[in-house]
Amino acid sequence: MSGAVISASALERLDELSSARGLSLTQDAPMAPLTTLRVGGPADRLAAPESVDELVALLEVAAEAQVPVFLLGKGSDIVVADAGIRGLVIRTRADAVSIDGRRLRAEAGTSMTALAKRCARAGLAGFDWAISIPGSFGGAVWANAGAHGGEMAQVLREVEAWDPRTRRRVLLAPSDCAFSYRESRFKHSGEIVLGATIELGRGEPTAIAARIAEHQAQRKATQPLADQNAGSVFRNPPGDHAGRLIDAAGLKGHRIGSAQVSTLHANFIVTDRGTARAADVRAVGDHARRTVAERFGIHLQYEIEFVGDWPAGALDQARDA
């Protein structure tokens, strides 16, 4: 999503349709406080649905008004442009969870860390790795998120999504979702993840909780959790680690403006409190990519997503750098 031009009449139509259906929108909503990097300008409109039905209603009125939609989870793994986001941002709060035997169904807005702890209490094993994913359940499905050797594709059994072409809910099997390393069909299809079902094994709650504690301790020791960051900036290339390459290139601590490569973990970019700019984050990331390519001949791919109203061509240049 970049450089979108939304007419005032389209936004007015969105406001009218939303009001008629009792849906609440906020105009010119600041986005920086809603992201873990604390960067980015305002969204034209922001909604925070409490249920999946309300989420679908918002998607329907946006489609009718021909206003683009961006789904915001917990605000990690994204860099919102300094100019903000055109159209409607939906920050879903739908987070209902149900457990039936070894199967768990969760709505898109569910916190991954909270879900990992709930699984532990229920004696459901195989989801302890999710404690290290700071985003939402829907976002984790969208990105096929993973950590500590686990990923969503390993446990997913069914995904419920909204198809913008038919404006209907659809149920998808994992084989339909084109999962691969940090990839899925949802990154390219425009479909919106509403919720999903995972299937786990059985385990002792105390043993699962112990594994969660180990993951948390490792994360605290190796990642800049006290600093503003968006998580891992780059995907790990085959047989190597992005952080090792950036460190070997001598870039730990490299700063441009309000952003710098973390001195604790080189695959993280951290930002200054109160003055952070999205353009600085992208500049640091692009510099790291160019340097690693020049030094080692390896072209790193971004894991974080650049969203919003970026200058025309800027994101293509960043991805191809």
Side-chain angles (χ1 to χ4, degrees):
M1 177 191 292
S2 65
V5 177
I6 312 299
S7 68
S9 60
L11 290 172
E12 290 172 2
R13 179 63 174 156
L14 176 66
D15 292 337
E16 292 170 358
L17 292 170
S18 298
S19 178
R21 297 191 62 170
L23 303 170
S24 178
L25 303 182
T26 301
Q27 297 187 14
D28 300 319
M31 290 298 296
L34 304 182
T35 73
T36 57
L37 265 176
R38 299 294 190 265
V39 300
D44 288 334
R45 300 292 186 272
L46 173 70
E50 301 282 350
S51 68
V52 169
D53 287 344
E54 187 180 354
L55 167 58
V56 170
L58 286 160
L59 294 170
E60 290 172 345
V61 297
E64 186 172 343
Q66 296 186 325
V67 170
V69 170
F70 175 72
L71 260 290
L72 176 70
K74 302 302 180 185
S76 63
D77 300 319
I78 63 169
V79 186
V80 176
D82 293 313
I85 300 180
R86 307 287 69 82
L88 172 64
V89 173
I90 301 178
R91 189 187 190 209
T92 181
R93 294 178 177 173
D95 60 359
V97 176
S98 61
I99 297 175
D100 183 7
R102 294 189 298 112
R103 291 203 168 200
L104 179 149
R105 188 188 184 284
E107 294 178 340
T110 307
S111 160
M112 285 287 281
T113 55
L115 200 56
K117 294 177 181 178
R118 179 157 183 175
C119 288
R121 293 194 299 270
L124 294 175
F127 204 62
D128 50 277
W129 53 267
I131 196 68
S132 296
I133 307 297
S136 67
F137 186 65
V141 174
W142 179 86
N144 188 23
H148 310 294
E151 64 178 14
M152 292 301 296
Q154 296 171 350
V155 296
L156 278 168
R157 294 298 175 264
E158 185 178 72
V159 178
E160 182 183 10
W162 187 82
D163 187 337
R165 294 161 298 184
T166 62
R167 300 186 189 180
R168 293 185 177 182
R169 301 188 194 198
V170 294
L171 292 176
L172 302 169
S175 58
D176 298 324
C177 297
F179 288 123
S180 60
Y181 176 58
R182 304 299 176 263
E183 275 290 339
S184 77
R185 71 183 272 169
F186 307 108
K187 285 194 171 186
H188 313 283
S189 67
E191 294 161 310
I192 304 298
V193 175
L194 303 177
T197 298
I198 61 176
E199 185 171 5
L200 304 170
R202 287 292 185 187
E204 287 297 324
T206 53
I208 301 169
R211 285 196 293 273
I212 285 177
E214 290 175 5
H215 295 327
Q216 288 178 307
Q218 179 186 358
R219 187 167 175 249
K220 184 177 181 180
T222 60
Q223 298 181 11
L225 302 184
D227 298 316
Q228 296 175 167
N229 73 85
S232 297
V233 176
F234 299 104
R235 303 179 185 188
N236 288 325
D240 210 333
H241 291 86
R244 188 200 71 79
L245 291 165
I246 297 168
D247 190 4
L251 292 176
K252 269 189 175 179
H254 180 79
R255 170 179 287 273
I256 297 177
S258 61
Q260 72 172 45
V261 177
S262 169
T263 57
L264 184 61
H265 192 310
N267 198 22
F268 285 72
I269 293 174
V270 299
T271 57
D272 296 340
R273 297 183 184 277
T275 61
R277 296 180 65 247
D280 294 338
V281 174
R282 196 182 72 203
V284 170
D286 289 350
H287 179 74
R289 291 187 77 206
R290 286 192 297 269
T291 304
V292 168
E294 291 167 1
R295 289 281 302 274
F296 308 112
I298 296 175
H299 297 272
L300 297 176
Q301 294 185 334
Y302 278 111
E303 183 168 327
I304 56 174
E305 298 282 333
F306 296 93
V307 302
D309 195 5
W310 291 89
L315 296 187
D316 292 336
Q317 293 170 10
R319 293 187 179 109
D320 296 336

